[in-house]
Amino acid sequence: MSINAYLNVKNIDKMLEQPPQAFSWIGFDSVDNCNLHCVYCHNPRTKQMIDLEKFERFIHHHVLTIENFQIGCQMEPSLDKRMVGLLQMIAESPAKPSRQFKVHTNGTLLNRHDARAMVEAGLTHLSISIDTVNEKTFSELRGGAKLERVFRNVKQFCETCPEVTVQFIATVTQANVDEMDLLVHKGVAIGAKRFHFREMFHDPRSPIVDHQKMEKLLLPPGRFQRLKSEIEKNYGDQVGLFFVDSPAIRQYGKEAHRNSR
């Protein structure tokens, strides 16, 4: 039976104690940090990085087979200068996935990594966290990040690697919910083929987020469902669309936190 697993700097030693297994999905954060401070991010951070010897031992001796491998889950993989090398290590091990080989990033540092080398290592999917095409809203939600830079990096990647499926992942809040239609429109124009919308959730117990801001960003009841209907009506026959409401996101966050320890 195949299982899902989340691998990071905190649990690598524990994972190395497990017997070899068949995996359906492995999510992997090689760093425990991010270069942005999104207003809705609940994840604590450190300066730790994965030990390459331990990681290599895991992918060669603790993975029997795997269908999907994702680099970048809760943290930002492009902060790691070794990112392309990690993809290559995975590609040359039993952990090379049979279905999807994905990098998930905020896109701000994507230009620092060799796109063609990523494809040569077997990359099949690139997902980008991007919430709006409004520069002011984007900067406010994503800790001062520059929208123009992200779009330029993604456009360049799409032109260099047209065979890779590019997906936008948007966290939907009261601040950007009315901008989702335009996000899809402009995303399609630069090469994105899938769009994943996640309703923002608020954990009032979090010691990290600004709770006053979070409460203002929460969607009113029913608004996410209306967004889903609007986007499906306008784009459902053109691109891949995925929607996850806040209860499902909250449950995923609990499970990821539990598995990361």
Side-chain angles (χ1 to χ4, degrees):
M1 179 179 178
S2 298
I3 63 171
N4 295 336
Y6 173 48
L7 179 68
N8 62 16
V9 297
K10 297 183 179 72
N11 71 357
I12 182 69
D13 290 329
K14 180 179 178 181
M15 295 293 287
L16 287 170
E17 295 174 357
Q18 304 299 316
Q21 300 179 80
F23 293 91
S24 175
W25 176 86
I26 291 179
F28 171 53
D29 279 320
S30 67
V31 297
D32 196 38
N33 203 0
C34 183
N35 61 322
L36 301 184
H37 290 274
C38 302
V39 296
Y40 36 69
C41 180
H42 293 73
N43 300 319
R45 308 170 185 192
T46 71
K47 298 295 184 179
Q48 296 182 74
M49 300 177 66
I50 204 76
D51 179 273
L52 286 182
E53 186 277 329
K54 290 181 179 180
F55 178 66
E56 188 169 25
R57 191 174 357 136
F58 174 78
I59 60 176
H60 278 277
H61 302 291
H62 293 265
V63 179
L64 295 176
T65 60
I66 178 170
E67 296 178 12
N68 307 284
F69 203 120
Q70 176 176 322
I71 295 181
C73 296
Q74 298 180 21
M75 301 298 169
E76 176 49 46
S78 64
L79 277 176
D80 194 338
K81 295 180 180 179
R82 310 168 300 175
M83 187 177 76
V84 173
L86 291 168
L87 285 162
Q88 294 169 338
M89 287 173 63
I90 296 165
E92 297 169 359
S93 77
K96 182 177 182 179
S98 60
R99 295 186 62 191
Q100 289 189 10
F101 201 0
K102 178 187 292 187
V103 166
H104 176 67
T105 173
N106 59 41
T108 58
L109 305 177
L110 186 60
N111 60 305
R112 297 185 180 182
H113 301 272
D114 187 332
R116 287 311 310 174
M118 294 165 66
V119 173
E120 290 168 5
L123 184 73
T124 61
H125 291 70
L126 178 76
S127 63
I128 309 292
S129 292
I130 182 167
D131 303 326
T132 177
V133 292
N134 181 299
E135 183 71 61
K136 184 175 183 294
T137 306
F138 186 81
S139 180
E140 291 174 350
L141 291 175
R142 293 204 162 264
K146 301 299 182 183
L147 179 66
E148 185 275 334
R149 181 178 184 179
V150 174
F151 258 81
R152 182 178 68 245
N153 288 345
V154 176
K155 183 174 185 293
Q156 182 178 3
F157 183 93
C158 289
E159 291 172 349
T160 304
C161 308
E163 66 269 52
V164 174
T165 299
V166 173
Q167 171 179 273
F168 279 13
I169 297 185
T171 298
V172 185
T173 71
Q174 184 70 354
N176 65 349
V177 64
D178 294 327
E179 300 165 359
M180 294 298 99
D181 190 280
L182 189 56
L183 176 66
V184 177
H185 178 75
K186 291 197 173 183
V188 170
I190 66 170
K193 297 181 177 66
R194 296 185 181 184
F195 296 83
H196 191 140
F197 301 93
R198 298 175 175 178
E199 182 181 8
M200 190 198 80
F201 79 93
H202 175 212
D203 183 351
R205 300 166 299 176
S206 171
I208 297 174
V209 299
D210 183 324
H211 295 291
Q212 288 187 334
K213 286 185 178 179
M214 294 289 283
E215 289 171 359
K216 293 178 181 178
L217 289 171
L218 284 171
L219 292 175
R223 184 62 183 94
F224 189 75
Q225 286 67 34
R226 293 204 309 275
L227 169 69
K228 181 176 184 291
S229 298
E230 293 163 3
I231 296 295
E232 287 181 335
K233 178 181 178 181
N234 293 338
Y235 298 98
D237 60 346
Q238 301 177 41
V239 296
L241 298 172
F242 308 87
F243 300 84
V244 184
D245 60 18
S246 60
I249 291 292
R250 187 179 296 109
Q251 181 61 32
Y252 169 80
K254 290 179 180 178
E255 294 175 356
H257 175 70
R258 183 169 57 250
N259 293 335
S260 70
R261 293 176 292 179

